[in-house]
Amino acid sequence: MELTSIAIFGVVVFTLLGIFFGFALAATARRFYVAVNPVIESVRACLPSANCGACGFAGCQAYAEAVVEEAKTPANLCVPGGKAVAEEVARLSGKVAEQMEERVAVLRCHGTTAYVKEQAEYLGIRSCTAASLVFGGPRACKNGCLGLGDCVRVCPFDAMTVDQLGIVVIDSKKCTGCGLCIPACPKNILELYPAARRIELSCVAREKVSAVRAKCAVGCTTCQKCVNACPAKALTFDDVTIRIDHKACIAYGPGCAEVCVDVCPTFILHRRGQVPLLEELAHPSGLDHGQ
Ligand code: SF4
Ligand code: SF4
């Protein structure tokens, strides 16, 4: 067969094959066609695509399907999306826009390497969970931050860093309150506070005063000066740690001038977002203001 004939034969064969597979694909697509609900697509489009799972579903698509198709799934589960997304999801899915409290993660520890004694050098893998399995971690306080960043690694919003003094710093402007960092921390010292909080508490104080003092220069001594000073009765001591009733604190308003913060001898209470500066924290002697 000459060359031209071979070429023509090839073109014909491949054209026929193309037509055949084209029809086969069209038939398959028709056979397995799944109708897409346009409302699900609209809801999916208004979600932030973080796929963080804070809604309790396996990503934005799964939540969009659930909120449109299941009557029991509320419209306000997308924490990163906040109020605006909740309202839009409610509008699209024909549900009631329920109220949504904005929250942010707060680290309940100020135990930087300037304050907490190191008992040993940890040479294992750079993970808080791994380090805490070895005698609770290398730092003397077994309740505080280990600074190896398990929480930082799970935050999808880049809101957390470990600073040069080995403690986590949270950027509350970036934090969406999704809560993914909470279970990542083996020390259970990350907590979601209302975004409108007035004060923050930076110690979990799970031991007796003498034990806390021996390990950390900025540990809560549970002196309860804050509890006694608060006119709103928003602070309580439950025999282990100080607790904040944020609703009572916020409702009382600025009339108290956050007196609890000013009476705290160890700077464990501070005003919203006003974590003591690194320079202050680097000089423990400068912290003690009249205990
Ligand atoms: S907050 Fe918890 S998870 Fe994050 S660095 Fe500290 S110990 Fe590790
Ligand atoms: S800020 Fe005021 S109302 Fe709130 S806990 Fe402190 S003293 Fe009480």
Side-chain angles (χ1 to χ4, degrees):
M1 210 186 283
E2 8 173 305
L3 211 55
T4 317
S5 305
I6 293 172
I8 291 170
F9 178 74
V11 169
V12 171
V13 167
F14 281 109
T15 304
L16 288 175
L17 278 174
I19 292 169
F20 171 75
F21 282 114
F23 275 109
L25 277 174
T28 309
R30 202 180 166 83
R31 171 81 178 77
F32 294 102
Y33 174 73
V34 179
V36 178
N37 184 338
V39 181
I40 294 178
E41 295 212 316
S42 304
V43 170
R44 174 67 190 84
C46 85
L47 295 173
S49 294
N51 286 309
C52 63
C55 54
F57 292 88
C60 301
Q61 179 67 30
Y63 176 52
E65 288 168 13
V67 77
V68 172
E69 290 174 346
E70 296 170 6
K72 67 177 183 357
T73 304
N76 62 351
L77 295 185
C78 177
V79 183
K83 195 164 165 263
V85 166
E87 284 173 357
E88 184 61 2
V89 172
R91 188 185 69 76
L92 290 166
S93 60
K95 290 183 172 165
V96 179
E98 286 163 41
Q99 274 214 330
M100 191 170 185
E101 184 185 54
E102 293 195 8
R103 298 181 300 170
V104 292
V106 167
L107 178 69
R108 290 198 52 196
C109 177
H110 269 172
T112 68
T113 50
Y115 288 129
V116 183
K117 298 182 180 90
E118 293 274 332
Q119 283 182 319
E121 192 183 0
Y122 174 69
L123 299 172
I125 56 168
R126 310 299 292 165
S127 153
C128 308
T129 303
S132 68
L133 293 175
V134 187
F135 303 111
R139 295 186 182 171
C141 176
K142 301 302 175 193
N143 299 311
C145 181
L146 292 165
L148 295 172
D150 285 11
C151 52
V152 175
R153 285 185 284 279
V154 299
C155 176
F157 302 99
D158 202 20
M160 307 175 106
T161 45
V162 176
D163 74 11
Q164 63 265 46
L165 288 177
I167 202 155
V168 163
V169 176
I170 301 169
D171 182 342
S172 56
K173 289 197 187 79
K174 288 186 181 173
C175 176
T176 62
C178 70
L180 290 184
C181 54
I182 310 288
C185 176
K187 296 296 180 183
N188 201 17
I189 51 173
L190 287 160
E191 202 174 316
L192 289 176
Y193 275 25
R197 72 212 178 281
R198 295 176 61 210
I199 54 169
E200 297 169 1
L201 182 64
S202 299
C203 183
V204 287
R206 294 180 184 133
E207 292 175 279
K208 291 199 171 122
V209 175
S210 53
V212 171
R213 271 300 194 210
K215 295 168 185 171
C216 176
V218 288
C220 177
T221 63
T222 62
C223 67
Q224 299 182 60
K225 287 183 179 177
C226 54
V227 175
N228 297 327
C230 175
K233 305 273 176 271
L235 296 166
T236 47
F237 176 59
D238 65 5
D239 281 337
V240 182
T241 189
I242 302 290
R243 297 203 177 277
I244 305 172
D245 178 346
H246 289 286
K247 273 196 186 138
C249 175
I250 293 165
Y252 192 86
C256 65
E258 294 92 26
V259 60
C260 56
V261 172
D262 297 325
V263 297
C264 176
T266 43
F267 284 97
I268 286 147
L269 277 162
H270 50 89
R271 292 172 177 87
R272 179 176 61 214
Q274 292 182 14
V275 180
L277 298 170
L278 284 179
E279 304 85 70
E280 290 175 71
L281 289 171
H283 300 286
S285 57
L287 277 174
D288 204 339
H289 59 115
Q291 188 186 0

